[in-house]
Structures are given as structure tokens and as C-alpha cells.
Amino acid sequence: MESPAKRQLTIVDLPYRIENFPLIEKLKSRQKTGEFFNVAGIVIAIIGGLIFIAGPSSIRVGWDGPSLWEILLLNPGIILSLGVMCMFIAGHIVPPVLQEIDTFIADNFTLIDDEGNSSLEGVIQGEIEADGDLNLIFVPTIDRAMAEQGV
């Protein structure tokens, strides 16, 4: 049974525009943060890789032990791992917001056919515009299945 608070849309009503969607700002902020972590991770990983490949063949360490720079030259895998970790973090910053948007659509909108029954022909999907609006579009069920399979 569908919730009475859901807005019922037919295929004719789509695309449906939601202006000034509040989660868009959160998404843009997360995308910028993710881009920063990705670029920083790539740079750090390249530096670690270059030290690993072209680093010194020997290092002389003083009596008081190695300095931080000498430790990094002795173990460039630390730098490489830190870069890869930054890229991993970057890949996990944006998806929770996209899941929030999908949940918002599922909780507030339903696609119905001409008789008022739930439509089996397709689903409603969000499409984010650059100006901060969210367009709800119709995606046929067969296209969605192919997209999920990566075809």
C-alpha cells in the first residue's frame, strides 16, 4: 500500500522539476571534498611511487636514528599507501548523498499508470542540473536493468 503523502506522477507528468533542491548544495560540497582527496591522493601516490622507483640506493643514518625524511626514503610504501588511502576515501564521500537523493525520491514520489495503479513500465529517477534543480525523469524498466548490468 502506497503512502498517502507520496505525490503520484504519471509518465505524462515527467520530467518533473524540483527547484532549489536542498540536497544539491550538500552534493556539490561533497563533490568538491571528494575531488580534493582524489587529487591529493594521486599526487601523494605519484611521489611515493617515484621514491620507490628512483629513490636512493643507500642512505646513511646518524647515531641518533633516522629523521622523518630518511624514514620516508627507507619506506616509500608508506607514502604510496597514504595516497591510495586518500583516493579510497574520495570514492566514498559522494555516494551517501546520492543515496539520500534516491531515498527522497522513493519516499515522496510514486509512478502510476493511467488507472492509478503502480506503474510496472518504469521508475522515477533523479537527474541533477547545474543550476541546483532536480529533474525527475522516467526510466523504462528494461533500460534500468541494462544500466545496472553495465550494458
Side-chain angles (χ1 to χ4, degrees):
M1 173 108 186
E2 294 295 325
S3 169
K6 284 188 173 185
R7 181 172 175 118
Q8 298 179 339
L9 300 173
T10 63
I11 295 173
V12 175
D13 297 330
L14 299 174
Y16 181 80
R17 185 182 192 101
I18 302 173
E19 295 181 356
N20 301 320
F21 188 61
L23 289 175
I24 299 297
E25 289 302 318
K26 184 177 182 181
L27 178 64
K28 287 180 182 179
S29 172
R30 292 279 182 100
Q31 286 174 331
K32 287 179 184 177
T33 304
E35 288 173 9
F36 170 77
F37 271 99
N38 198 29
V39 169
I42 290 171
V43 169
I44 292 170
I46 288 173
I47 290 170
L50 289 175
I51 292 173
F52 189 73
I53 293 170
S57 59
S58 64
I59 296 175
R60 180 173 284 199
V61 178
W63 288 102
D64 54 347
S67 65
L68 177 63
W69 177 247
E70 291 167 340
I71 290 172
L72 294 177
L73 288 175
L74 288 168
N75 300 309
I78 295 170
I79 299 173
L80 188 63
S81 297
L82 183 64
V84 171
M85 185 177 69
C86 285
M87 289 186 289
F88 176 79
I89 291 170
H92 287 80
I93 291 177
V94 175
V97 180
L98 295 176
Q99 183 63 39
E100 283 183 58
I101 293 171
D102 289 341
T103 302
F104 171 82
I105 293 169
D107 290 346
N108 294 298
F109 298 95
T110 184
L111 186 64
I112 59 171
D113 58 15
D114 295 333
E115 288 83 35
N117 301 321
S118 293
S119 177
L120 301 175
E121 296 175 20
V123 294
I124 298 174
Q125 188 170 344
E127 186 176 75
I128 300 165
E129 292 188 354
D131 60 354
D133 295 341
L134 178 71
N135 275 341
L136 301 180
I137 59 171
F138 172 75
V139 178
T141 306
I142 191 161
D143 289 349
R144 184 174 178 117
M146 291 177 77
E148 288 175 356
Q149 292 177 358
V151 176

